[in-house]
């Protein structure tokens, strides 16, 4: 996948720097060469010796190392690579590039390069969520910088949330995708996500507890394997990932229309928690309290988006994947659902309140395919997404 590629790897100063060593090993196993740059802070976490031993290359550390300047100027160093990767990308390093500052070798290389830049952020959750870091991310993304991660989970500092650096295999895949060598490069995948809101009147609606986390993670994982992703999302609380085409809808009917308008695609994954019913005729004005007592809502069934697409005879996606949210007899109900809806795979999960899955950070799923049911361990949602995206890539590349 990466044979002959040359990666300039900037290792910033964070506890996640140790994972950069594993990344170097993975990249070299694939046949890529890695030219490492270690920041001053990075060298507090991993030694230049271990970095150079794994990379099999000299480590560049100092902007004013005159020998290096004579052998290979920083301009040349920044351009001889196919891709510049920053892992871990600290808040400070991101801020320096966002502001166009170049006080050291790493930031000078980032400013001087004419090659794509991929950053794997790693920092404390408060730092990641700070408005300054949010601003810097937006600026960098607008400048063309790509991101992989961060993941959510327990952090070295004892806090919990987004900020953990993506795992080395995920970074390796994102590198391949950025270089146009991803297993889903050239594929178009549609993902539905989030809840739908079904209006009762102009101010009230029927909804569900879906946060859109699993759908967003899936869209990001597919993107990171090189897919072109169309992300049709209801009003979710988790924001859509960058680098995907986002189509925002409110109701199930709008979601169906948006999906149909974007076909054909190579694969479609229906992760949305679509409301099964809508109010037959939503009131045009706010319903007022009155002597008649509470209103009685007459419901109508919503279109089943997954079943509609899975049963298409013309232009059906090559692979149609549904989710099954169940609270009991998960595998039995999901297996029946797969048959009823006509989809190829069903990702079943137990959304009983005590699992904490709906709206939570983790998911425990069983993948049901034509070959049977496969139960995965409970994993963070991004990891479930990554596994599913890899399976999807495998299925799409298999001869039919
Ligand atoms: N789905 C859909 N359109 C609907 C309802 C569901 O596309 N109107 C999709 C979901 O995105 C998911 C799958 O169908 O991929 C199963 O959703 P789920 O809520 O588990 O199933 P239901 O259709 O509601 O079936 P049941 O009421 O039996 O649980």
């Amino acid at each position: 996948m990466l044979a002959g590629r040359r990666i300039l790897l900037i290792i910033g100063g964070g506890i996640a720097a140790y994972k950069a060593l594993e990344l170097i090993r993975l990249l070299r196993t694939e046949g890529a060469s890695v030219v490492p740059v270690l920041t001053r802070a990075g060298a507090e976490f991993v030694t230049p010796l271990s970095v150079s031993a794994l990379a099999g290359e000299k480590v560049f550390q100092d902007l004013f190392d005159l020998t290096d300047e004579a052998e290979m100027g920083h301009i040349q160093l920044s351009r001889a690579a196919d891709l510049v990767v920053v892992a871990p990308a600290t808040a400070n390093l991101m801020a320096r590039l966002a502001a166009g500052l170049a006080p050291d070798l790493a930031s000078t290389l980032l400013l001087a390069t004419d090659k794509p830049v991929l950053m794997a952020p790693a920092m404390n959750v408060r730092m990641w969520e700070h408005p300054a870091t949010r601003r810097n991310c937006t600026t960098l993304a607008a400048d063309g910088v790509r991101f992989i991660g961060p993941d959510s989970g327990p952090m070295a500092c004892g806090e919990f949330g987004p900020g953990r650096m993506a795992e080395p295999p995920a970074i390796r895949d994102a590198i391949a995708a950025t270089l146009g060598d991803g297993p889903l490069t050239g594929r178009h995948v549609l993902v539905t996500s989030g809840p739908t809101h079904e209006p009762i009147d102009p101010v009230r609606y029927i909804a569900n507890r879906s946060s859109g986390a699993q759908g967003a993670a899936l869209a990001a994982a597919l993107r990171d394997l090189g897919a072109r992703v169309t992300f049709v999302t209801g009003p979710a609380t988790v924001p859509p990932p960058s680098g995907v085409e986002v189509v925002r809808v409110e109701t199930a009917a709008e979601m169906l229309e948006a999906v149909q308008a974007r076909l054909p695609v190579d694969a479609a994954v229906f992760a949305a928690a679509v409301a099964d019913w809508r109010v037959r005729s939503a009131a045009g004005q706010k319903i007022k309290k009155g002597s008649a007592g509470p209103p009685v809502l007459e419901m109508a069934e919503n279109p089943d988006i997954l079943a509609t697409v899975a049963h298409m005879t013309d232009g059906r996606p090559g692979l149609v994947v549904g989710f099954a949210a169940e609270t009991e007899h998960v595998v039995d109900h999901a297996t029946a659902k797969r048959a009823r809806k006509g989809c190829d795979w069903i990702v079943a999960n137990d959304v009983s309140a005590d699992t904490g899955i709906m709206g939570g950070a983790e998911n425990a799923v069983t993948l049901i395919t034509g070959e049977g049911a496969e139960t995965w361990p409970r994993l963070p949602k991004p990891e479930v997404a990554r596994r599913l995206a890899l399976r999807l890539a495998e299925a799409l590349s298999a001869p039919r």
Side-chain angles (χ1 to χ4, degrees):
M1 191 153 77
L2 289 167
R5 299 302 198 142
R6 197 174 156 88
I7 313 293
L8 184 73
L9 175 65
I10 297 174
I11 304 172
I15 186 70
Y18 78 92
K19 291 193 199 171
L21 300 177
E22 172 66 2
L23 177 62
I24 296 173
R25 202 189 59 73
L26 285 177
L27 293 172
R28 292 202 63 206
T29 310
E30 299 257 340
S33 61
V34 179
V35 177
V37 174
L38 190 58
T39 66
R40 190 176 299 252
E44 299 289 332
F45 293 90
V46 290
T47 68
L49 188 60
S50 44
V51 173
S52 70
L54 281 164
E57 298 263 357
K58 172 183 167 56
V59 183
F60 292 88
Q61 287 183 272
D62 197 346
L63 184 56
F64 299 106
D65 184 332
L66 293 179
T67 322
D68 293 342
E69 282 300 303
E71 282 171 3
M72 180 192 261
H74 60 267
I75 304 286
Q76 238 182 309
L77 184 59
S78 74
R79 297 189 186 168
D82 296 308
L83 177 68
V84 181
V85 177
V86 190
T90 60
N92 188 302
L93 205 43
M94 286 169 56
R96 293 208 294 276
L97 183 59
L101 295 172
D104 61 358
L105 178 61
S107 46
T108 303
L109 294 173
L110 286 166
L111 212 53
T113 192
D114 58 357
K115 295 300 183 319
V117 174
L118 176 72
M119 287 189 162
M123 65 197 72
N124 165 272
V125 56
R126 296 271 166 272
M127 293 171 79
W128 174 248
E129 286 171 351
H130 193 284
T133 309
R134 301 289 82 245
R135 266 197 314 276
N136 291 336
C137 275
T138 308
T139 304
L140 292 171
D143 290 347
V145 172
R146 300 178 197 207
F147 290 93
I148 167 82
D151 292 347
S152 276
M155 312 190 67
C157 55
E159 290 185 49
F160 186 94
R164 278 162 60 113
M165 189 168 88
E167 294 302 322
I171 302 177
R172 180 225 21 224
D173 291 347
I175 289 172
T178 309
L179 290 171
D181 283 341
L184 286 172
T185 297
R187 301 294 195 168
H188 185 190
V189 185
L190 182 143
V191 178
T192 69
S193 182
T196 62
H197 284 183
E198 308 297 330
I200 296 172
D201 66 17
V203 296
R204 303 182 180 95
Y205 55 84
I206 295 171
N208 59 63
R209 295 185 199 283
S210 167
S211 64
Q214 188 61 81
L218 193 58
L222 292 162
R223 173 205 64 194
D224 292 341
L225 295 183
R228 171 183 156 212
V229 179
T230 298
F231 186 64
V232 181
T233 177
T237 46
V238 170
S242 60
V244 305
E245 182 207 355
V246 181
V247 184
R248 291 178 199 276
V249 298
E250 289 269 330
T251 65
E254 287 169 14
M255 188 173 272
L256 175 63
E257 201 182 313
V259 166
Q260 285 173 325
R262 270 126 194 121
L263 299 179
V265 293
D266 294 297
V269 186
F270 295 86
V274 184
D276 290 321
W277 307 283
R278 66 180 182 281
V279 176
R280 183 174 296 281
S281 39
Q285 303 299 328
K286 185 181 171 203
I287 302 171
K288 305 296 280 180
K289 280 200 296 275
S291 53
V296 175
L297 301 177
E298 194 196 335
M299 310 296 280
E301 193 155 327
N302 268 331
D304 191 314
I305 305 164
L306 168 62
T308 306
V309 173
H311 285 116
M312 283 171 63
T313 44
D314 222 9
R316 181 190 190 273
L319 188 70
V320 177
V321 183
F323 273 67
E326 307 291 348
T327 53
E328 57 176 1
H329 310 302
V330 176
V331 173
D332 288 350
H333 281 178
T335 305
K337 200 171 274 183
R338 173 177 173 269
R340 196 169 67 240
K341 301 217 180 199
C343 56
D344 302 301
W345 298 352
I346 278 262
V347 184
N349 52 7
D350 185 347
V351 292
S352 314
D354 58 351
T355 63
I357 282 175
M358 210 159 192
E362 294 182 335
N363 207 349
V365 308
T366 300
L367 178 65
I368 296 167
T369 68
E371 273 85 60
E374 207 182 283
T375 300
W376 296 356
R378 191 176 171 115
L379 295 165
K381 285 182 178 174
E383 189 48 32
V384 171
R386 193 177 129 68
R387 284 190 183 206
L388 193 59
L390 284 167
R391 287 294 289 268
L392 206 129
E394 240 173 65
L396 289 182
S397 65
R400 301 197 144 251

